[in-house]
Amino acid sequence: MKYDGKVPSGPLAEKWKNYRGTMPLVAPNNKRRLDIIVVGTGLAGASAASTLGELGYNVKCFTFHDSPRRAHSIAAQGGINAAKNYQNDGDSVYRLFYDTIKGGDYRSREANVYRLAEVSTSIIDQAVAQGVPFAREYGGLLANRSFGGVQVSRTFYARGQTGQQLLLGAYASLSRQITLGSVQMHNRHEMMDLVIEDGKARGIIARNLLTGELERHAAHCVILATGGYGNVFYLSTNAMMSNTSAAWRAVRRGALMANPCFTQIHPTCIPVSGDYQSKLTLMSESLRNDGRVWVPKKMEDVEALRAGKIKGVDIAEEDRDYYLERRYPAFGNLVPRDVASRAAKQVCDEGRGVNVAGLAVFLDFEDAFERYGKSEANAHGDHNPSREKVLELGRKVVEKKYGNLFEMYEKITGQNPYFTPMMIYPAVHYTMGGLWVDYNLETNIPGLFSLGESNFSDHGANRLGASALMQGLADGYFVIPYTVGTFLSKEIRTPKIDPNGAAFKATEKAVADRIGQLLGVNGTQSVESFHRRLGKIMWDYCGMSRSAEGLNKARKMVQDLRAEFYKDVFIPGSADEYNPELEKAHRVADFIELGELMIVDALDRNESCGGHFREEYQTEDGEALRRDDEYTYVSAWEWPNPDAGDPTLHKEELVFENVELKTRSYK
Amino acid sequence: MKLKLKIWRQKNQASKGTFETYDVVANEHMSFLEMLDVLNEDLISQKKEPVVFEHDCREGICGTCSMVINGHPHGPNGGTTACQLHMRFFKDGDIITVEPFRASAFPVYKDLAVDRSAFDRIIQAGGYISVNTGQAVDANSVPVEQNVAEAAFDAAACIGCGACVAACPNSSAMLFTSAKVAHLSLLPQGQVEENQRVLNMVNQMDAEGFGRCSNVTACEAECPKEISVANIAMLNRKYFKASLASEKKVQ
Amino acid sequence: MSLTGLFLVLFLVVHLAGNLQLLLDDGGEAFNVYTKKMTTSPIIKVISYGNYFFILLHAFQGILLYFKNRKARGSEAYAVKVTKAVNTNSFAASNMAWLGLLILVFLGIHMGDFWYQMKWGEVPTVVYHGDTYENLYLKVEASFSNIWIVLFYCLSMLGLAFHLTHGFQSAFQSLGLNHPKYSPFIRGVGKVIGVIIPIGFAIIPLYYFFLK
């Protein structure tokens, strides 16, 4: 590997502390003269921009939304992990680190994950100080709940809207810096390309989305916090505008894309209801604390369900297959996401799916109603309540815990989950892959950093629940403010970067040409229709399970789709106005290229690990078969020009000095 | 189901808009925005300009959608954003009028998209707690009574969509501003700066050209997050206290 | 608006209490005695000037508010206009300015009819227990035999009812007095006041028109 991970030496628990104590700093008077561009205002971007502003750097921050507060971090529901051990249940920094490494199926960098676990506790302190209204116990102290794949309660939450509250905290900090003048905010500006001057990232070309004008913005370094690429599948739990373009443009300028095939399919989403569907809605993982997942044992029950002759509640207890509890007795319904999703797919592949399309399983709360109802009745001194009374009391308890989720389910499906089991199915939710970064979160392009979901660094092949918020904020608040100094301390003699330099002009011209090319096609098919077709290819062949045969076929299909796109896409309107169709066209064009790279990566990885399941590599009972001897590496792909041949693979070997690689078992 | 849509079309901020009528075939499982997607695909296939409407998360939390459906911001269902509104609440043959949010402080950019940056500026005027990264004490060092934390959450649940302004006959932004004031003032961490905060935020709200509150309560009635006008009373209280009983002035 | 409004509510209560004496079957004696007291006492005089001032201030504030809010609303109106409200009457809440204007017009006519007559008009006199009083009672009887005046009074009181129903509780909200325990009570009082005061006033013309 020609690219160095730059992991500091020393014992795991001392690395970050020692590194922080010895890394080069930038003096306050020099910070004032250094400019930083931050693209994206989600948890990672907003926290980075505000913290860098506080430190005294000149920050220019960009979002394509109308306000920084709209970033998709806002939609995260369940919670944020931190090794506070407030519950006294044996949690520690090491345990959070270990759970995350194991949950990620041993495909992430030890040192990065340990640092994440280490700073997790400061995030909670910071959020509380900003006024984030986390859930609290009666005594006024912070409450916790449990998430999949762990055996402690370390998840802090604000009802089912933790992401919203954390983002509003970061947005508030960012707003304060905007008022103080240290951050210059550019709303409704989309990064169209990265400008590289003398081998260093020195700026971006942004498009003012209202006027269509291209703008050149220069800085001493560029930070991308632009989120994940789940929308490559068209249908996902991501927001409609979430996209890969900023990251992909960096790849086109020489950055490496790491582990692109590692995508997380979340097991509890509302099933697809028709062809017109534009996105999928997540039902928080926390529901699996109390819900039981099942499908009917008998095919005649399945057929009656689909014909609408019976309902889930009509099927007798002994005719139900609680397949997660059956297969994984130790973790039951709380197995990690990849395991739960795959199991749902398997029962549906057997033909036992419970909706008309055969692509749904039940998530049933009847047991929870009964359990909570009984204890509630007991608490009220009623030791012999009727079943009806028990269920009624139990529903109230469940409403307190998950009221907003139940309401959301009813709004979307028109069915009342208090009286009929929910129907759920896995959906694309998160992408563990992303821009390759070293320990400093710097990509292989000097001066280009990547934070949050847009980098690959911490989650390996599968992310545990409530860890995305943790990583975004860790990167933004507590890592980049230090590590950016390793680059900027060498730039203190560099004068202000001139946005009228040759590199800027050339890059701007390239962007204008690309816009002209897209508008010039003037074909017949809508951007949306291409996106849908790409999504279907990716879901069918590079989704929950993959095979070499399918992947090879899919690669050809994506290549053909790309050719067709540039021949027949139709974009209404012009380039010099507010034109959402043009914005979408850029994003879909980049998704098509990324889609091909994901397929190439999935083909290269001849093993099953985490969210990546290759049908050829499974154990006799259908579990993932990891191949540590050959695949304990990060795949970092170089592909600056998809028209000039195949991508080049760089391998970063993963070294595990502190944990032993084991078969991940939740049985 | 067959529907007739009367939609506001406006090329840009400078031009004058007008209603156009479209026929669309939808089904009851679609969300309202998916129904508009169908219309737009149809328009694109005829090489016409699609209707611009803002949207993003489509699960009721980002606050991006900004349309008034049959006179109601986010549509006639209570506690629902436009993206969560489903077509099963409409009937075959319905005529549906879709307009942008209307207020002087929210100028229309194009069709149904409006400029809500005034909200950002109100927050920038003081909707934060001044704490730098790394300065925080341990999270459990200041206990907060559970019901107070819940009340703060209720106010903090605001998604900044602007439906309150759109619904208010006075185009007042009091519900939005008061929700932030209440959220921060309820928590011990936010109380330190509350006098300065309320003065600055109210001053900015007025400067943006929003109207004055006359307690019509249409804001609460149409708020997709059902934020209470009790927050407005709290803002009034805090404002009186800050302007009459503190030394602070607008900064 | 809230402070002046609440003061005016107080005035209405006092005014109604006095006027209800018109319902006594004593040929107008109690009312005429009361009228004289009200027009001659120096304290009442001061209060009444204060009252005029507050009425004008309330109206002036209202007009300013109306124009400021109309500007905030912008030039383009909604094609479909609906106003939902919580815990208040949406018609009243969104038409306070027009209801207020109706009341202002009413006040003008009302003052012209009685107060102006008292001050500068020709009012016959009457003698009780050796003292001479202006017999405003006769003037009341005469006015309320005219159906148009009675109808206008009743309509105005309906307007006042809406204005008060929203206005009373709205004043407390504006003053920041909102509390989960007490607000329902305040809203209740507002409803009672909003119904009883206008009915109390409206009964007088109706009584004179139909029963005298």
Side-chain angles (χ1 to χ4, degrees), chain A residues 646-657:
Chain A
D646 283 349
T648 316
L649 175 64
H650 303 273
K651 296 179 185 175
E652 181 197 340
E653 294 298 332
L654 289 168
V655 185
F656 291 91
E657 293 168 342

Side-chain angles (χ1 to χ4, degrees), chain B residues 198-214:
Chain B
V198 69
L199 291 175
N200 286 2
M201 288 180 76
V202 168
N203 179 60
Q204 186 64 35
M205 176 178 79
D206 287 343
E208 295 291 346
F210 291 106
R212 293 275 162 89
C213 177
S214 63

Side-chain angles (χ1 to χ4, degrees), chain A residues 35-81:
Chain A
D35 301 324
I36 301 178
I37 283 176
V38 177
V39 186
T41 59
L43 286 178
S47 58
S50 62
T51 307
L52 292 167
E54 285 161 13
L55 289 173
Y57 293 109
N58 292 315
V59 181
K60 279 183 172 188
C61 190
F62 294 81
T63 173
F64 60 70
H65 283 108
D66 68 323
S67 161
R69 66 182 292 156
R70 311 254 188 249
H72 192 53
S73 303
I74 201 124
Q77 298 173 354
I80 175 164
N81 289 332

Side-chain angles (χ1 to χ4, degrees), chain B residues 6-52:
Chain B
K6 276 178 68 186
I7 302 182
W8 182 261
R9 301 303 307 264
Q10 183 171 338
K11 183 119 185 76
N12 53 41
Q13 208 171 325
S15 66
K16 205 157 162 51
T18 165
F19 281 99
E20 300 265 349
T21 308
Y22 303 94
D23 291 306
V24 67
V25 180
N27 80 41
E28 56 171 10
H29 299 295
M30 290 178 177
S31 71
F32 196 84
L33 300 190
E34 283 165 351
M35 184 273 295
L36 290 179
D37 288 342
V38 170
L39 170 69
N40 276 348
E41 279 294 288
D42 192 42
L43 289 173
I44 293 171
S45 73
Q46 300 168 41
K47 299 226 162 188
K48 287 182 186 157
E49 283 227 21
V51 177
V52 171

Side-chain angles (χ1 to χ4, degrees), chain B residues 190-237:
Chain B
Q191 279 156 12
V192 182
E193 294 170 277
E194 72 173 18
N195 288 331
Q196 191 67 64
R197 174 184 308 123
V198 69
L199 291 175
N200 286 2
M201 288 180 76
V202 168
N203 179 60
Q204 186 64 35
M205 176 178 79
D206 287 343
E208 295 291 346
F210 291 106
R212 293 275 162 89
C213 177
S214 63
N215 304 318
V216 178
T217 67
C219 50
E220 178 180 330
E222 301 285 5
C223 173
K225 295 294 148 187
E226 298 172 319
I227 290 175
S228 165
V229 292
N231 294 310
I232 296 182
M234 185 170 184
L235 179 142
N236 290 336
R237 246 182 354 257

Side-chain angles (χ1 to χ4, degrees), chain A residues 367-379:
Chain A
D367 251 31
F369 297 150
E370 213 168 312
R371 188 166 30 119
Y372 288 127
K374 271 191 192 141
S375 79
E376 193 73 2
N378 265 328

